Every structure is written in structure tokens, then in C-alpha cells.
Amino acid sequence: MAGLLPLGPALPDRAEVVVIGGGIVGCSIAYHLTRRGVSDVVLLEQGTLTCGTTWHAAGLVSQLKSTHSLTRLATYSARLFEELEDETGQATGYRTPGSISVADNEQRWEEILRGATMAEGVGVETRVIDLDEAIELWPLMRTDDLVGALYIPRDGQTSPVDTTMALAKGAKSRGARIIEGVSATDLRVADGKVAGVVTEQGEIETETVVLATGMWTRHLAARIGVNVPLQACEHFYIVTEPLDGMEIGTPTLRDPGNYTYFKEETGKLMAGFFEPRGKVWRTDQIPRDFSFGTLDEDWEHLGPIFERAIHRVPALGECGLQLFFNGPESFTPDGVYYMGEAPEVDGCFVAAGFNSVGIQSAGGVGWALADWIADRRPPMDLNSVDIRRALPFQAETDYLQDRISESLGLLYAMHWPFRQYESARGIRLSPLHDRIAAAGAVFGETAGWERPNWYARDGQAREYEYSYGKQNWHDNMVAECLGVREAVGLFDQTSFAKFTVSGPDALAVLNTVSVADIDAPIGKAVYTQWCNQAGGIEADLTVNRLGDDEFFVVTAAASEARDWAWLRRACRGKQVTLANITHEQAMIGLMGPQSRAVLSKLTDADLSNDGFEFGTGRTIDLAGFDVFALRMSYVGDLGWELYAANADAGGVYDALIEEGRPRGLVHAGYHAMNSLRLEAGMRHWGHDITDEDTPLEAGLGFTVAWDKTVDFNGRSALEAQRRQPRTKRLIQLRIEDPDLLTYHDEPLYRDGLVVGRISSSMWSATQNRCCAMGYVEHHEAVTKEWLDSGSWETNIASRRVPVSTSIRSWFDPANQRPKQ
């Protein structure tokens, strides 16, 4: 630690940014802030640098992750670590022996191959190798039960401690102050914004704090009402005595089917484990002095997994063990780390919960978060790791104990499409839950809500049978989709988030955050995006005008915390009253050509096109209940969204079922909704549109009110883009092989060259094959002529397959059915 300040120096009175936590992530953030020119940075560490988790990490630097965004962050880390020693003069121990991932069954092999095809679009080199070559690279591996092996030649390993010291040295050389031996005991907040950090030695005034405090983060953040649901679990690895045949430079070996990774370490073998059910450690406050602590051996827990590791590497059962290590690491409910600005307090940033991938993520996280702090927006789509996805119930002890044990085990489990969590269920229930369960609903979970994903037939098992092909619910979904298209379908959409916005400044605020004109007639529903100043889409939702100063906002369940935070910040200092009424109302979607006929039997309201135009909403009497009926559709068909008080929801549902049954009404789930919206070209925020994409690139330019006088967020950027050719564009795709399914992030080729990737995909009942969306880029312009003049393919598990392209949707390209 040469060059660092001694333990416990005097604190500055003020700093532009205070980073709390001196592990590799905290030091990377400080390093990257100074690279951005933010030199007034103080990093506080309660012990010494690397204490906590960094010091006992395995040091793996793998590049290939589960999504395009996470892979970009990981590849950045690899590039940074390659260059860091030359820049700072501090040795890091970084090397690139590569890695091998093996599969012991066909399903696992397809998972590995699908990941490899995604890597092609990010520039990660991968190579399928035969088992003879695998043995050459890894002579101690048993291969007689393997079906495939994938080699990533540039995957690396680094010394976590040395790399942290290099990042700290680089940060300090550009002005950052690193102070060890001082604990942050509290945070100070004023008017909803960070105001300072309270320490054992005094207070530092600041407007920006970063909580990079690992397994201490949840309790520290909670002191100011910030929710960071993470939990420490025991994590195990062993190190052998020197082992014959374990040559220095041997690649890392990943054997997910046996829950184990193997790493060469100076001629010894390290084996680390991600067992199917993790072992939660301490849900209470973790003591400060645990910094370099370890936990007891637990062979009873680990023994069965160790036996599986010996199966892959028989020599492991015959050599001596130099170390059995058990140390805690923090894990999150969905197995993905947190970063970004907390929704509850402005200026409070989080980088924590790294699920054993903190070393390989640290470089990219430091870069992205430093840019986020400097620019007050992320440099790329980081939705999958954004702290704004966290929800209050996830911090409850019972929830964490149940879910975290499963989420740790899922790191090496099969990452099936549509996989459902088994633990910590039943948190948020619709008032219609029992009724739709009786109708055959098979539930999935989104944002804690139990939602009907599909409906089982009488006698059919209500469970998933996972695969990468058509799963056991495929025919059920197809029947639901056809029922909607041909007759009428009922969707329980209660999980959609619902906000009310009222007060003298309500219109001004909503017109500033929205690209559409919210100054619409009372009763008008306005589909709009909320954009950042760069024109990127932060939210995609509907704003309904109920009165001069009264509005009703509806957005997706998964976006509830994020969109609420965006709205709350926009309203600060304004005369606006906000309320989140998500739990106060049920929402029933009635969609399909027979929806008007069904509703007309239950209300005296005029539901004709003249009497109830598309995009309008009003309260009607429906079967004796007051219902707010909104003529809007996310499935590309005639339909209404019906909002009723929870106490009335059952009665409304019963009336709809009774009247709809003779007209062919079907219950439809969220798998069907996803299929219907995709074939109809409806975008999904977080997949097809993100804060990296503008409305113009996403084909949503029709929502932008260019002639409104309000200087809405992102206007300048969008007007500049409007004058330029559309070089990036979201297009519609169709996989022409009816037996193959795509999901997301598969590369798109035009005449053999990668020009984009798939953003979302689902089987279409009307097209009898997969429909998808994806962004493509062309330096001149993405036009119909350019699409039509090329030969298009995608890559499914290393197999090139043809795709068709279109600017417009495959179903009802003129979008007339919702307005019929």
C-alpha cells in the first residue's frame, strides 16, 4: 500500500464525491472518476483496502455474460486490466490463460452455444473445440461424459489485491484521497438529497456518495431509507497441494453441470463451488471488525458438491488439500448486481451485491458509474443492473433468507428461457388471484406479483417443463393468442403500476417529462415516452387526463420503482401531489374483436367508434360497478383496459366471464400478451426500447409533439436527430424456420456481416413462427430498400438461419384493428 495515506488521517471538510468502500469496485470508481476529471474524490475504507470480499476473491476475469450489456462491462474490465500495470507501475498479476466451459448434456451444450453466438455481436472471441483439444488444454479433466466444450482464449485471471492497489494508485495520482481505518457511520440527507457522510472522525460535506460497501451496504443504506436488498452467503473453495499435470497457464475450467469452476494457481488447483442451494450467513448487521474474517468449514454442506468436482477432475480426490476456504459474499434476489443512483435519495449511488463476479465486473462498473455520476445519466443501457429495479419487500429478512439461497444456486444452474423462481413467492396478489387460479392459471412472478403466464387445460400439470424449444405450454399459449385474435381474451393486468398526478403544476411537469403533448382534452389517453436530455427513452407509458389538473399514469409492473423515481424527481419543488395507487385498483384487459360486443351487454355507455374513440377513457357503469374504461391495447387489437376498485374486481370479472363465455372468451396470460404485442410491433421497455434508444430510432417518432411550445426533456437532441438520416433503427424480424426459437441478443447478419442484434422474440400464432424485433445500423441509413436488398440471417446456437425483415409489423401493419 505504498503511497497511500496512513490509517486515520484528518478528514477533509468537504469533497465533491465520497466513495465508501475500499474493495476493487470502490477503487475502480474512484479511479474512473479521476479519469473523468472529477479529482475531488475521497475514498473511505473502514479497515484496509481489499478487506471484506476482494481479498479472498478467486480473481477470474471472464468476458461472456448473460446479456449484451453485462458482456460489454466485463470486456471493458478485461481491456482495462491488461493496460493498468503499464499505466500505474503497480503489478496486477493479470494474465490471459483463457477458459473452457464444458457441457455434460445436450441442453447445457445448447445454452453454452447460445451464449457464444451472443458474444459474436460484442466482439468476444470464442471457439468450439473437440474433446481431444480440450484434454490437451486441460489434461486432468475427465471427458468421457461430455458432449461439448467452448474455449474463450482471452479470458483472464488477475490478483484481486494487486489490481485493487493499482486502481488506488491510479486514482491517487490524479488527486483522489484514500483514507483507511475510518468507518462511515451514517449519511446525512437534506431535502431528499445527499448532504454529507458522518464518520468516526467527523463529517464530510458532499452532494454525491457512492456505497461500494459490499455486504455492509444494505444496513448502511437503510439508515437514510435507501433500499438495497442483498444478503451475505457462505462461498466455498478449496486449494490443493501442488498437483502433477497442473501446469502454470492452464485455462480456467467451468463445469456448471457439477456446480464447480477450476483455476490453476501456481501449479496448484483451486476449485470453487456454486451449490444448488446457498447457505445464508447473518441477516443482521455485520460487525465492522469482520473485515478479513473467515467462516468455519462445512463438509456436510459441501461434501456432495465436492464429490461431483472429483468426478470431473479425478486427481482432486487423490491429492492433499492446502486450504478449505469459506468466506461470505453478497448476493441479490435476481443474481445480478446493483449500480446507479438510488430512487429514494438524490446523489446516493450504489455499487454492490456482486454475486461472486465483482473482480471481473469492477472495471466496467467503475467506468459506467463514473460516467453516470459525471453526466447524471448512464453511458449505456444498464437496466438489468439498475438499483431502481429493487422493491421494498425484497429487503425483508424472511424474503432474503428464502430467495437468496435460490439465487446463489442459479449461477451455475441452467438458464432456461422463461425460468420461474421457486422461492419467496406469493408476495403481491391480484384481487382476482383465486378466480384466475380456478380458471387454470400457471403463475410467474414479476416485481413480486403473481401473474398468470399461461392457463392449463383440465388435467394438465400446472408446471413448466423447460427447454430451448417449444415448452409444454406452447400449445396453450397458441390457443390463447388465437382466442384473442378471433374472439376475445381476458387478461389480469392488475400488476401494472398506476400513479395519480394532480395539482396546479401537474400539467407543466408531465408536459416537460413527456415527448407527447399532455395538454389534451379531458378523457384523452396519451401514449408517450419520458426521455433524458440525450433523447434516450427512460419510460414508455400512458398518461390519461382526468381533469384540468388531474392525471392518471399507467406503466409496466417491472418499471414501477424506476418510473416513480423519475416522476418524483421531476415534481420536486412543484405544486404537485403524487400517489401510487397500484395496490388500490384491479386492472382487467378485455381484448379482441368481440370485446365491444361483450361489454355492450354490461353497460349503457356508447362503445362505438364515435361514442368511445380509441385512446380515450371514462368512468362507466359496468354490471352495476363504477369502472374506469380505457380504450387502449398492448396486443394490437380492439380492446379496453378496465380499472375497478379491489372490492369490485371480482364482480366485474364474474360478469365479463358470464357474458363472454358464449362469445368464445378465453383467459390469456402474459406469454400470450408478449406474443401478441410482438407480432403487432408493440415495443417493450427494457428490451426493445431503453435509455440508449431514442423514439426516432425505435420507430416511435409519431409520439413526439414537435409543435408543442414546451421545452420537453431531450427535445434538442431529438430535433438534431430528426434532421439526420436514420442510421440506427428498430426493425421487425421473422425467423423463417418454424422449428427454431430466438430469445434476445442473437446477432443479425446482412450479407454475412453483423449489423445488429435481436432485442426480443416470441412465437407468433398468426405467423406460425418466431417474430422478433432488433436494432440494425447502417452508416448511410436503414431504409426499406437497404433491408430488402440484403440477405438476412441470425445465429441460433452456432447455426445460421434466414430471417425476413420489415419496417412494419407482421400482423396488421397499418395498425387498424385496435381502431375498428
Side-chain angles (χ1 to χ4, degrees):
M1 292 178 282
L4 300 180
L5 293 173
L7 297 180
L11 296 180
D13 294 328
R14 174 174 173 78
E16 185 174 352
V17 182
V18 176
V19 179
I20 306 176
I24 191 169
V25 172
C27 289
S28 178
I29 294 165
Y31 169 87
H32 284 90
L33 281 167
T34 62
R35 281 184 48 164
R36 275 299 308 264
V38 182
S39 59
D40 186 14
V41 176
V42 170
L43 184 147
L44 298 175
E45 169 51 55
Q46 65 183 359
T48 58
L49 295 186
T50 77
C51 74
T53 299
T54 297
W55 71 274
H56 64 71
L60 302 180
V61 186
S62 63
Q63 302 169 83
L64 185 56
K65 301 300 171 191
S66 58
T67 68
H68 182 270
S69 296
L70 294 179
T71 301
R72 283 179 63 186
L73 294 178
T75 54
Y76 176 91
S77 293
R79 293 194 303 271
L80 173 69
F81 295 165
E82 282 184 324
E83 302 165 357
L84 196 57
E85 183 173 340
D86 288 342
E87 176 197 338
T88 64
Q90 166 71 50
T92 63
Y94 185 74
R95 54 197 178 98
T96 54
S99 74
I100 303 170
S101 295
V102 297
D104 58 6
N105 60 69
E106 294 293 343
Q107 293 82 8
R108 179 72 72 175
W109 184 228
E110 179 160 2
E111 177 189 45
I112 290 173
L113 289 177
R114 283 181 178 257
T117 59
M118 183 268 289
E120 185 176 357
V122 195
V124 175
E125 179 189 357
T126 66
R127 181 160 59 88
V128 173
I129 58 176
D130 61 35
L131 297 183
D132 287 340
E133 185 175 357
I135 292 175
E136 289 180 15
L137 291 169
W138 232 95
L140 298 181
M141 172 174 47
R142 176 179 174 179
T143 62
D144 61 327
D145 62 338
L146 295 179
V147 299
L150 183 77
Y151 180 47
I152 305 180
R154 297 298 297 170
D155 269 4
Q157 298 176 9
T158 198
S159 164
V161 171
D162 292 340
T163 305
T164 303
M165 295 306 172
L167 290 165
K169 186 176 181 181
K172 189 171 181 294
S173 71
R174 286 186 289 268
R177 287 167 285 184
I178 297 178
I179 303 174
E180 299 173 274
V182 175
S183 177
T185 58
D186 207 347
L187 304 169
R188 192 162 60 81
V189 176
D191 298 323
K193 302 177 181 179
V194 165
V197 177
V198 180
T199 80
E200 301 162 320
Q201 297 185 9
E203 185 173 322
I204 306 174
E205 181 183 338
T206 186
E207 285 82 43
T208 304
V209 65
V210 183
L211 305 182
T213 41
M215 54 194 172
W216 286 269
T217 305
R218 174 161 60 92
H219 291 93
L220 179 58
R223 297 184 68 86
I224 56 169
V226 169
N227 180 40
V228 188
L230 55 76
Q231 174 58 47
C233 281
E234 301 184 27
H235 181 53
F236 305 88
Y237 61 76
I238 58 94
V239 180
T240 71
E241 300 285 352
L243 192 60
D244 289 341
M246 185 49 54
E247 301 293 335
I248 293 175
T250 298
T252 299
L253 173 63
R254 293 184 178 85
D255 182 18
N258 288 309
Y259 316 111
T260 307
Y261 64 84
F262 303 91
K263 173 198 171 189
E264 177 272 321
E265 191 159 294
T266 61
K268 307 167 189 174
L269 178 62
M270 171 191 283
F273 311 98
F274 291 106
E275 61 275 25
R277 296 292 296 186
K279 189 178 177 185
V280 171
W281 180 73
R282 293 195 70 137
T283 57
D284 58 346
Q285 177 74 52
I286 297 171
R288 171 187 174 177
D289 61 4
F290 186 78
S291 296
F292 287 100
T294 61
L295 306 177
D296 293 337
E297 295 184 4
D298 189 345
W299 279 107
E300 182 178 354
H301 176 76
L302 192 63
I305 309 303
F306 185 67
E307 291 296 324
R308 298 187 69 144
I310 292 173
H311 169 81
R312 182 61 57 219
V313 183
L316 191 59
E318 302 170 2
C319 64
L321 297 186
Q322 188 177 84
L323 173 68
F324 181 111
F325 185 86
N326 180 10
E329 297 188 19
S330 57
F331 293 81
T332 63
D334 59 4
V336 183
Y337 52 84
Y338 297 124
M339 63 181 293
E341 189 173 18
E344 301 90 348
V345 177
D346 293 1
C348 179
F349 288 80
V350 174
F354 280 91
N355 303 278
S356 288
V357 296
I359 304 303
Q360 57 202 266
S361 303
V365 167
W367 154 63
L369 200 62
D371 278 7
W372 200 331
I373 291 168
D375 301 328
R376 281 312 194 250
R377 61 179 175 83
M380 56 180 281
D381 169 30
L382 294 171
N383 176 53
S384 63
V385 295
D386 197 319
I387 184 63
R388 288 174 290 180
R389 74 186 190 277
L391 294 163
F393 68 84
Q394 293 177 316
E396 296 174 3
T397 299
D398 289 346
Y399 176 90
L400 287 171
Q401 284 183 319
D402 196 10
R403 175 57 63 83
I404 297 296
S405 178
E406 180 184 7
S407 69
L408 183 154
L410 293 179
L411 292 177
Y412 271 15
M414 284 291 298
H415 298 88
W416 295 115
F418 310 106
R419 191 195 184 282
Q420 305 300 315
Y421 284 102
E422 298 172 0
S423 62
R425 297 290 297 267
I427 305 294
R428 304 170 86 179
L429 300 179
S430 160
L432 301 176
H433 182 84
D434 291 344
R435 283 174 167 84
I436 61 174
V442 181
F443 293 97
E445 182 236 323
T446 296
W449 285 99
E450 294 294 320
R451 311 201 307 176
N453 278 349
W454 56 282
Y455 285 83
R457 299 181 296 273
D458 289 345
Q460 183 180 7
R462 299 191 187 189
E463 59 187 27
Y464 279 80
E465 296 174 11
Y466 297 117
S467 75
Y468 277 95
K470 298 171 185 175
Q471 297 184 12
N472 62 310
W473 47 266
H474 176 84
D475 292 344
N476 304 67
M477 181 199 72
V478 168
E480 294 168 23
C481 290
L482 293 177
V484 172
R485 291 288 184 234
E486 297 169 2
V488 59
L490 184 146
F491 298 87
D492 180 7
Q493 297 176 251
T494 299
S495 61
F496 277 49
K498 313 167 197 75
F499 313 142
T500 58
V501 187
S502 59
D505 293 334
L507 174 60
V509 167
L510 288 170
N511 236 354
T512 299
V513 298
S514 303
V515 300
D517 191 356
I518 308 303
D519 193 6
I522 294 172
K524 180 67 176 175
V526 180
Y527 170 56
T528 189
Q529 290 76 47
W530 293 350
C531 290
N532 54 43
Q533 293 303 330
I537 300 171
E538 296 283 349
D540 179 70
L541 41 73
T542 304
V543 179
N544 308 278
R545 191 168 197 178
L546 305 182
D548 289 339
D549 299 323
E550 186 178 1
F551 300 85
F552 178 49
V553 176
V554 182
T555 189
S559 301
E560 179 182 356
R562 178 192 180 94
D563 294 353
W564 178 256
W566 192 263
L567 183 59
R568 179 187 63 78
R569 285 180 169 133
C571 291
R572 179 174 287 121
K574 308 293 184 181
Q575 297 184 66
V576 178
T577 300
L578 299 178
N580 184 341
I581 63 168
T582 300
H583 279 276
E584 298 176 16
Q585 291 185 345
M587 175 182 171
I588 301 173
L590 195 73
M591 305 291 164
Q594 290 294 315
S595 57
R596 180 184 284 119
V598 172
L599 290 177
S600 294
K601 294 292 185 178
L602 300 171
T603 182
D604 292 332
D606 183 358
L607 301 180
S608 67
N609 276 324
D610 291 337
F612 207 130
E613 294 180 352
F614 178 79
T616 59
R618 68 177 68 105
T619 299
I620 65 174
D621 181 298
L622 187 68
F625 300 99
D626 286 339
V627 171
F628 181 72
L630 175 62
R631 190 173 169 195
M632 189 66 67
S633 173
Y634 188 52
V635 300
D637 231 307
L638 176 68
W640 277 261
E641 297 173 355
L642 307 171
Y643 299 83
N646 287 341
D648 297 338
V652 173
Y653 169 90
D654 293 342
L656 292 170
I657 295 299
E658 182 177 355
E659 190 58 47
R661 189 176 292 113
R663 296 184 179 275
L665 183 144
V666 299
H667 287 83
Y670 280 84
H671 291 333
M673 178 177 284
N674 194 30
S675 172
L676 294 163
R677 71 92 187 167
L678 256 164
E679 67 181 14
M682 306 293 179
R683 280 66 168 153
H684 182 280
W685 196 91
H687 289 94
D688 311 306
I689 46 178
T690 72
D691 53 10
E692 264 192 314
D693 313 308
T694 72
L696 298 178
E697 294 166 341
L700 298 173
F702 66 89
T703 68
V704 183
W706 302 106
D707 57 350
K708 75 174 178 178
T709 57
V710 177
D711 186 20
F712 55 87
N713 292 350
R715 179 167 195 153
S716 296
L718 293 175
E719 286 182 337
Q721 189 179 61
R722 186 186 185 192
R723 296 188 289 268
Q724 301 298 320
R726 202 69 63 244
T727 57
K728 170 188 171 186
R729 192 166 188 171
L730 184 69
I731 65 168
Q732 312 299 306
L733 303 152
R734 191 172 61 200
I735 316 306
E736 294 303 344
D737 188 326
D739 295 322
L740 295 177
L741 278 67
T742 51
Y743 295 101
H744 61 82
D745 285 337
E746 294 90 349
L748 291 168
Y749 309 87
R750 182 183 184 274
D751 296 338
L753 299 177
V754 176
V755 295
R757 60 189 169 93
I758 288 175
S759 56
S760 65
S761 181
M762 198 74 176
W763 182 267
S764 164
T766 64
Q767 304 299 304
N768 197 33
R769 64 205 72 192
C770 250
C771 287
M773 296 188 199
Y775 283 95
V776 294
E777 298 187 40
H778 178 48
H779 67 280
E780 293 182 358
V782 177
T783 62
K784 183 179 185 302
E785 292 71 27
W786 182 74
L787 294 177
D788 292 346
S789 64
S791 174
W792 289 85
E793 296 173 303
T794 190
N795 194 327
I796 302 176
S798 296
R799 174 183 172 187
R800 297 280 187 100
V801 297
V803 298
S804 297
T805 61
S806 175
I807 297 291
R808 292 192 169 193
S809 62
W810 301 106
F811 176 81
D812 187 27
N815 194 30
Q816 293 303 302
R817 285 176 66 115
K819 305 168 186 176
Q820 62 190 3

